């Protein structure tokens, strides 16, 4: 018995409704591989290429990762969050783990070198030792929004700074999916913005920074500028953190 015209139209409508969701489920995650590294307490490392120091070892409960070159992005990818889950094994959990990029590193064709705590979350309960024995696992991942409830975006005076001759800053508790692509300080005597240099990772620096309270602005994902008046006090201190009172989307 043949299909009527109305039946064809009904089937076509169903296909059109379902097709976007099928495409989304296939394209949402990116296939890759992941391994892990050892560290005391199974946390991240305080010597990571992003320059986060101790913040980088404990942020997100120590569930952090060293990202490959394409995720590290010469430091722009520092602080980005990803959902990572392993595949093709009955020992893998369905949800996987949420990690923050705090370092740069690659293993055997891997995009992620996870802290032991993060790698542990890839496994089903009771299956962790088996997954660790693999050393490297196939995974899929996607970029997700970072969430730090109770924290605003802050700029920390990096440990390499030397008051008042040399100022280095690093952004911490950077939520959302935005990336900081440029940082500038206002030079009052010249009436102009001076660009800070990306020293390495997520660290921005400037020799002979402006005197007095410092106005700062930063560029988000290559377009939007956010300006912060007198964010850094005139007598800034190494290791101090200064609250922007904002949070990125």
């Amino acid at each position: 018995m043949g299909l009527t015209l109305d039946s064809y139209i009904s089937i076509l409508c169903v296909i059109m409704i379902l097709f976007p969701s099928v495409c989304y489920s296939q394209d949402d995650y990116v296939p890759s591989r992941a391994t892990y590294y050892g560290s005391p307490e199974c946390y991240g490392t305080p010597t990571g290429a992003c320059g986060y120091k101790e913040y980088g070892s404990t942020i997100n409960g120590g569930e952090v990762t060293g990202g490959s070159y394409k995720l590290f992005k010469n430091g722009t990818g520092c602080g980005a969050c990803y959902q990572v889950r392993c595949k093709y094994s009955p020992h893998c959990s369905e949800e996987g783990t949420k990690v923050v990029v705090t370092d740069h590193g690659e293993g055997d064709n891997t995009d992620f070198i996870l802290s032991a705590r993060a790698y542990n979350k890839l496994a089903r309960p009771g299956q962790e030792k088996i997954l660790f024995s693999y050393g490297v696992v196939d995974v899929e991942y996607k970029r997700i929004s970072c969430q730090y409830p109770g924290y605003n975006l802050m700029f920390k005076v990096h440990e390499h700074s030397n008051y008042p001759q040399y100022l280095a800053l690093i952004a911490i508790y950077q939520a959302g999916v935005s990336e900081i692509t440029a940082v500038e300080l206002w030079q009052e005597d010249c009436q102009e913005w001076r660009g800070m240099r990306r020293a390495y990772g997520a660290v921005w620096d400037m020799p002979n920074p402006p005197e007095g309270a410092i106005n700062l602005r930063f560029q988000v994902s290559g377009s939007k500028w956010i300006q912060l008046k007198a964010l850094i006090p005139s007598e800034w201190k190494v290791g101090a953190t200064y609250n922007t009172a904002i949070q990125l989307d």
Side-chain angles (χ1 to χ4, degrees):
M1 183 176 179
L3 294 175
T4 65
L5 178 60
D6 289 341
S7 298
Y8 276 119
I9 293 175
S10 298
I11 293 172
L12 180 61
C13 289
V14 171
I15 291 174
M16 293 177 67
I17 292 172
L18 291 178
F19 186 73
S21 62
V22 171
C23 290
Y24 180 82
S25 65
Q26 290 175 341
D27 298 338
D28 198 16
Y29 281 86
V30 178
S32 185
R33 284 157 61 84
T35 185
Y36 67 93
Y37 62 91
S39 64
E41 306 294 334
C42 300
Y43 286 111
T45 172
T47 58
C50 288
Y52 287 131
K53 301 296 184 181
E54 290 300 326
Y55 166 87
S57 63
T58 59
I59 189 67
N60 194 42
E63 293 182 44
V64 299
T65 184
S68 64
Y69 181 79
K70 71 178 181 181
L71 299 184
F72 184 71
K73 303 177 184 178
N74 288 325
T76 304
C78 289
C81 295
Y82 292 90
Q83 181 78 33
V84 184
R85 61 191 187 192
C86 66
K87 301 174 62 180
Y88 312 125
S89 172
H91 311 296
C92 296
S93 66
E94 292 184 6
E95 183 176 357
T97 183
K98 299 176 182 179
V99 295
V100 182
V101 175
T102 61
D103 201 355
H104 170 246
E106 295 183 58
D108 182 13
N109 295 317
T110 63
D111 279 320
F112 297 90
I113 301 182
L114 303 171
S115 66
R117 284 177 179 263
Y119 192 88
N120 189 72
K121 289 290 186 66
L122 295 180
R124 293 180 181 275
Q127 305 293 301
E128 295 86 356
K129 289 184 178 180
I130 298 176
L131 211 62
F132 271 105
S133 70
Y134 291 167
V136 179
V137 291
D138 291 314
V139 299
E140 57 183 12
Y141 69 92
K142 66 176 180 178
R143 179 77 181 270
I144 60 173
S145 176
C146 297
Q147 302 291 332
Y148 301 109
Y151 289 93
N152 292 319
L153 173 68
M154 300 182 184
F155 278 90
K156 179 180 179 180
V157 178
H158 198 267
E159 287 81 351
H160 291 167
S161 299
N162 182 22
Y163 180 84
Q165 293 89 2
Y166 173 74
L167 175 63
L169 299 173
I170 188 166
I172 59 176
Y173 298 113
Q174 183 178 331
V177 295
S178 300
E179 297 172 342
I180 295 177
T181 57
V183 180
E184 297 182 343
L185 306 182
W186 177 250
Q187 187 74 39
E188 183 66 27
D189 54 355
C190 299
Q191 291 292 293
E192 66 179 11
W193 290 98
R194 291 175 55 197
M196 300 189 81
R197 176 185 69 120
R198 185 186 292 277
Y200 69 95
V203 180
W204 300 85
D205 71 351
M206 177 183 290
N208 303 313
E211 297 179 355
I214 298 175
N215 297 332
L216 177 151
R217 72 176 185 177
F218 61 93
Q219 191 176 37
V220 178
S221 298
S223 57
K224 179 181 178 182
W225 284 93
I226 298 175
Q227 185 172 330
L228 303 166
K229 186 176 181 179
L231 176 68
I232 311 296
S234 57
E235 296 184 0
W236 46 265
K237 300 184 182 299
V238 173
T241 56
Y242 300 105
N243 194 338
T244 67
I246 63 173
Q247 194 51 273
L248 301 180
D249 297 326

